[in-house]
Each structure stands twice: as structure tokens, then as C-alpha cells.
Amino acid sequence: MTSLANPRRTRALRVDPRTCPVVMGIETEYGILATKSPLDVQKASEVVVDAYEQIAHKNGMPGGIRWDYSGERPLDTNAADDLRPEEVAADIDPVTRKQLPVMPLEVVRLSQQEEKFQRAHNLALPNGARFYVDHSHPEYACPETTSALYATACDVAGERIVAEAAALAGASPNDIRVFKNNTDGQGQAYGCHENYLLSRKTTIDDLIDSVVPFFVTRPLFAGAGRVGIGTHSQEGGFQISQRADFVEIIRGLHTTVNRPIINTRDEPHSSPDKYRRFHYIGGDATCFPFATWLRLCVTSMVLRLVDERGMPNRWRKLRLADPVEACRTVSRDLCGREKLELEDGRKLYATQIQLEYIHEVANCQHWNQEELFALQQWQQIIHTLCNAREADKCEPPAELADRVEWVARHQLISTYLMRNDKDWNSDLAKQLDLRWCDLTEGQGLAAALIKAGRTYDMNLIPLLDEVFVDSVLDADRHFDALVEDARYYAPPTTRAYFRGELIRHFPGLIPAASWHSIVIDHGDEYCKRICLADPLQWTQRLVGDVVEEASEKHRATQPKGELHAAKTPASATSSSINELKDAQELGQDSGELRDQLGSKAASAQVTHTVGTQLVVEKLTLAPRESKGIRYGNLSY
């Protein structure tokens, strides 16, 4: 049984002062099938999410808590960028031009029936993640991280949690199976979305102009591969990207209709006067951890370059004449022989466009070791594809099969088809395509290659100081340690740490949580909502000692075996044992917060009670005269 205390996080965490980390995350909708049951996909997804409770308790963890939708208002970035700075500060709605309503700091306590109803199939987990049903699919949204390697570990951890939940929920007679893919081959598509937090200073127009050619050609190294051509796989064949056939427009707000290359949803889950969340919906759900890591790391570098330096002139000349059609061209051109027409009339290979991005990124001098390693791998892959085209090879280069998932998928399926004298339109090709991404134990072909050591060793990727390193286990196996850690614990370098630790240690006191706030039941008439507006605050380095001390004293008050007992009413609690100082008023930058914490100044008081539960009596994170949080910028 896993202990609530994490013995592996023994070394102090440091953030490289030379670099500003990009907060990132990934969310994946999983394909689902109940093969021996009358369950429809909606109900099957619900029982999978509900199975998490059993998994958590089996591992000595609390189950998930209710997700809090308060303050979630997705708007079109185009409208938000029209606001003047003073309108942003005044919380003006970019659509209605009226002041946004207040999200109250005082929260009404729900009845047990209301709590159960609102909690259904939508959970905030103790590892900082969100697990829920979205459009009839189980979806796992990873917690915020500041490292592509840790984000990948969180994605793999989520994959294992979903697979374990499906196996538990699918025990006879249901036989539920889940798949890490993006289309059922019959016209339905579901997403794997990436999120990168950028500054508000860069306009959405500059971002789109800068990165559309990059994302159109990114499947060359980030595609998962797919059997079938067309949204309904109406033609036989193999293509590089799962999502290319479903792209309809260049930019837009929607994710399920009129799917764009660049999604303009403006929902930063943080202060929008400071940040924007770049929400990319066109990526493939990759089963190879290396492919996931490379696309996250490279994409964050490209976006960060634009965010910090503006749009490079070389990239201005890469505007495509028809980006939507170019997505399909790239996806169906396995040998890289088709040229893409640019807006100025020139024609370039997809690899040439990628080389233009590589050139600018390589000229930057401030990348960390992980990013430099990603740059090296990115260059090697694109140059290998260039060499294969120049050598007039008619097959994807086999030497990339350990790193580029679509190459490995094509290689394996084509080998089976040749042995059985079948073509790409056969049932065998479709069955193998589905088997590739099957998460059922012993069924997945991608999983078999990983287990056999046929894919790139993730432990060769440099581990940054800003991500914990296991000082107990063999340091050469750090990725395995990261994945195991991410199953049970939140990333240490973002606010996810504080959110996850409160859920993990004090589940009876946390009625609800979201990305940007958490609700605490402190025993008064109303619960207290804490705003977690800045993703780079509330980290292990800033509040870890306080949380650990609080949890240790809380555990000491609990009867053996009753750590997660039901919460006792506040009126039944006796007296406080201790007050701990822990955070500082938000709205300040991380440097100011660290200074305040260093001098022991704090504005939160956490109180322990004799009995079964810790009760928060005061958690004053905002000025006392504050009456609520604005939906828009989450300021007090």
C-alpha cells in the first residue's frame, strides 16, 4: 500500500533562474468500447471514471473530490484581445462589454444529495489531475507542470490509471476496453489537447501567423499514424496523422464542430491580464512516451520564442496558401515528396518548413538541458526524413521507428499485411490499427514494443533540477520513478502541488476544486474559496514544509485506519491544537511570495482539531474587505 507521505521527494527543488518555465499540460479523451455488455459508451465511460475510487483506496489514497465549475467562462481570444488594459483590469466581459459577475469567496455548503449529484463522473484527483466524462469518453487531464518530461510522465501515469479503471469496471460481464487514439474510423473523432501558458503581450494574430505552418507539418515527428483515409476511413491506406482529416478551418473557438488548426478559446485558468492559455486541439494521442515528450518540448520552445521575441521574419515568409488542405497533404505523404504551396507562390517540402523553425529555435541561447536535447532529436528526425526523400526511398525510414510513432505503426502493420497477403483496406489492417492503441493488458501492440525495449529509452532524456529526482532508486531509471510518482502525487513545481496535497491529506475538508481555485470547509456557515490564480505559486518549494507539517500533525490525531473517515461537523470539534503559517496574498509575483515566506510572513492559518479531522478556521488569502473573485482575472 502506498503511504500518503512521499519518501521519494527528499531533495530540495530548484528552478533554473536563467529560464522562465512554460507551464504546460495535456488532456486526452480515450476511445471506449464495451464488447460484451449492453452498456452504451456514455454509461461505460461513467463506470470507468467511478472505478477510480476503488483504485485510490486500494493504494491507500483518498478518492477524487467534486470538480468546481465556478469561474469557467471560455471566450474567443479574438474578442478578449480587443480589450484595452484598463478594461481587463476592470473585469469587462469582451463580448457584452459589461462588468463580469463575482465568483464569491464564501461558498454555500451543499447537502449530501447535492454533493453527490454535482460530483458525479467529474473528479479532481490527489495527484492534481482531473478525471471525468467528456462527450461520452473518459478524459484524463494532467496537472500543470513546468517540464515536458514531467508532463509526459503525467500522461503515462494517466494512461495507466485509465487502463486500470477500465479493467476494474470492465470485469465480467462488461469487458470494457479503452484505446489511446483519436478516431473510431467511422466518422467520430475525439481529442488530445495540449495547453501552454503564455504571456498576454503577444497577440493571437501574431501567434497564429507564427505557428500555423509549424503545426501543419508537426505530424512528421509527432504523428501517431492511422489506417484509413477520410473521416469515415472510406478509402484504404495509411496516413501520418489521426487528426488531419477532421481539420476544417484555420482558426476558431469550437472543438467538436468546425475544428480549427488553432483553437482561439481564451480560458487561461489564471489571470488573463497576465496570461493566455494556448489551447492546441490538433495533436494525436501518442502511445510512445518519447513522441509525447518531443512534441510537448519542441512546441513549448516554438511558442516561447514567439512569446518572448515576437514573430521571426523567417517565419513570416512561411504562410501557406491553404493550410487546411496542407494538413491532409502532409498526413498522406509518407515519403515526403509533395510540396506545399506558400502564400507568396513558392513551394516547399514539409521538412523544409520544419527546418526553418529549427533554424530559429537553434539560434536561441537560453534553452535548458532538456530543451537542448529535444532540439537535437528534432533536428536528427527531420534530417533523416530529408535524406530518405533525397534517396528516393518509397518507405518511411526504419531507423526512426524507435522514436517516431507513425513510422513504427506503419512498419509493424505493413509487415503483418505482407505476411498474410492483405492490403490496407482489409479487416486485418483495421484490427491491427485498433490493437496498436489498445490499453487492455497484453493486447496493445505499442505497449508490447515499449515493453520489449524497441522504443527510445526515456531515461536518456536529461532530468532537470526543477523536477524531483529519486535519491533512493537508481538515478538511471528516473523516468520510471517520475511516472510512478505522477500516479499518486501532484507535480512539485506548480500550484497543482498545493491542490493535490490538500485533496490527498484532507479529503473530508475539501468539497470541491478546479484549476484556479479550491474550496475548503472550515466549519463556519460558509465554506472558503481560495484563489490559486498564479500557476507558479503554491509549489512544493514555497509551501511544502507547511503542508507536510500540517499533514503530520493531522495524521497524529487520527485513529488508526481512519485517516479518510467522514468529516465531523464543525460544532462537534473540540479545540485547536496548532496554527501553521503557510501562504501569502496572491496577486504578487513569485519572487515577492518567496520573500514573504522566507520572512515567515503569512496570511493563512490552518488549525488542527482533536478527533478525526483537521478543520480550517481561517484562511485569509485576500484583503479582508474583499467580497469575491472576478470571473475574468480572478483577482480579489
Side-chain angles (χ1 to χ4, degrees), residues 213-498:
F214 168 76
F215 282 113
V216 168
T217 55
R218 194 184 73 159
L220 292 177
F221 65 87
R226 173 191 163 199
V227 171
I229 307 296
T231 55
H232 291 70
S233 297
Q234 54 265 40
E235 299 177 33
F238 184 90
Q239 57 178 312
I240 293 172
S241 171
Q242 296 232 330
R243 297 285 286 176
D245 286 339
F246 297 92
V247 173
E248 298 170 83
I249 56 178
I250 298 173
R251 58 194 290 172
L253 176 63
H254 301 291
T255 59
T256 57
V257 295
N258 294 325
R259 292 183 177 95
I261 297 172
I262 303 298
N263 181 252
T264 56
R265 174 183 293 182
D266 190 19
E267 191 179 18
H269 299 308
S270 56
S271 299
D273 54 335
K274 295 171 60 178
Y275 300 111
R276 75 165 76 250
R277 177 171 63 113
F278 188 87
H279 183 63
Y280 182 63
I281 69 169
D284 291 357
T286 43
C287 296
F288 282 8
F290 180 89
T292 302
W293 166 77
L294 188 61
R295 66 185 164 107
L296 289 174
C297 199
V298 165
T299 303
S300 70
M301 294 165 72
V302 169
L303 293 173
R304 186 166 141 205
L305 188 151
V306 178
D307 196 38
E308 295 179 356
R309 302 188 177 188
M311 182 178 178
N313 289 328
R314 293 175 71 103
W315 296 357
R316 293 182 186 275
K317 302 176 182 179
L318 297 177
R319 291 192 182 98
L320 295 163
D322 188 345
V324 174
E325 183 59 32
C327 287
R328 310 199 202 316
T329 301
V330 171
S331 184
R332 302 174 189 189
D333 182 20
L334 304 186
C335 300
R337 296 172 181 171
E338 296 292 331
K339 287 188 175 182
L340 306 178
E341 184 175 355
L342 305 187
E343 199 173 64
D344 60 11
R346 292 180 299 142
K347 293 184 178 181
L348 296 177
Y349 293 113
T351 50
Q352 290 177 310
I353 292 176
Q354 281 291 306
L355 288 174
E356 290 294 315
Y357 282 92
I358 289 172
H359 180 273
E360 287 294 330
V361 172
N363 282 338
C364 292
Q365 303 298 318
H366 63 297
W367 305 123
N368 61 40
Q369 290 302 308
E370 179 186 351
E371 291 164 336
L372 288 173
F373 189 75
L375 174 60
Q376 179 189 58
Q377 293 295 319
W378 182 22
Q379 290 174 315
Q380 289 180 0
I381 290 171
I382 299 303
H383 282 299
T384 300
L385 291 171
C386 288
N387 293 337
R389 184 194 70 243
E390 292 170 359
D392 202 26
K393 292 184 178 180
C394 58
E395 292 290 331
E399 58 266 39
L400 295 180
D402 64 332
R403 289 168 288 170
V404 181
E405 185 164 329
W406 70 266
V407 173
R409 194 174 195 153
H410 178 272
Q411 185 182 80
L412 185 145
I413 295 177
S414 61
T415 299
Y416 271 92
L417 294 179
M418 290 177 61
R419 289 177 180 175
N420 292 274
D421 195 24
K422 300 290 184 179
D423 60 23
W424 288 100
N425 201 34
S426 64
D427 289 340
L428 177 61
K430 298 173 184 177
Q431 291 168 6
L432 292 170
D433 189 52
L434 196 59
R435 282 278 307 277
W436 178 269
C437 51
D438 193 338
L439 299 188
T440 307
E441 181 70 27
Q443 295 297 314
L445 298 178
L449 292 179
I450 295 171
K451 186 176 181 180
R454 299 281 297 277
T455 60
Y456 194 87
D457 185 358
M458 293 296 291
N459 296 293
L460 298 177
I461 298 172
L463 181 67
L464 301 182
D465 281 341
E466 66 182 85
V467 177
F468 97 100
V469 65
D470 188 344
S471 61
V472 179
L473 298 179
D474 185 351
D476 290 338
R477 306 301 302 173
H478 62 252
F479 184 73
D480 300 333
L482 286 177
V483 172
E484 187 66 14
D485 184 81
R487 287 196 58 167
Y488 307 109
Y489 305 96
T493 58
T494 68
R495 66 187 173 191
Y497 169 81
F498 185 68

Side-chain angles (χ1 to χ4, degrees), residues 577-596:
I577 293 178
N578 188 32
E579 290 184 348
L580 297 175
K581 297 176 180 179
D582 97 291
Q584 180 50 268
E585 174 184 351
L586 292 180
Q588 301 178 8
D589 63 33
S590 298
E592 291 175 334
L593 180 60
R594 284 193 291 270
D595 294 340
Q596 296 283 2

Side-chain angles (χ1 to χ4, degrees), residues 21 35 78 82 101 123 128 176 212-213 239 279 319 378 448-449 469 480 514 630:
T35 58
N78 301 327
D82 288 339
L123 306 176
I176 296 173
V212 163
Q239 57 178 312
H279 183 63
R319 291 192 182 98
W378 182 22
L449 292 179
V469 65
D480 300 333
S514 68
R630 292 290 178 190

Side-chain angles (χ1 to χ4, degrees), residues 25-31 132 134 137-142 151 155 159 179-183 189-196 215 218 222 224 242-243 255 259-261 263 278-287 291-292 295-296 405:
I26 187 168
E27 47 192 296
T28 303
E29 291 180 70
Y30 288 85
Y132 61 115
D134 188 35
H137 293 268
E139 178 162 341
Y140 187 91
C142 296
D155 180 62
E159 180 183 312
F179 306 89
K180 196 176 184 185
N181 62 356
N182 301 107
T183 177
Y190 30 96
C192 178
H193 300 177
E194 301 161 36
N195 301 283
Y196 306 89
F215 282 113
R218 194 184 73 159
Q242 296 232 330
R243 297 285 286 176
T255 59
R259 292 183 177 95
I261 297 172
N263 181 252
F278 188 87
H279 183 63
Y280 182 63
I281 69 169
D284 291 357
T286 43
C287 296
T292 302
R295 66 185 164 107
L296 289 174
E405 185 164 329

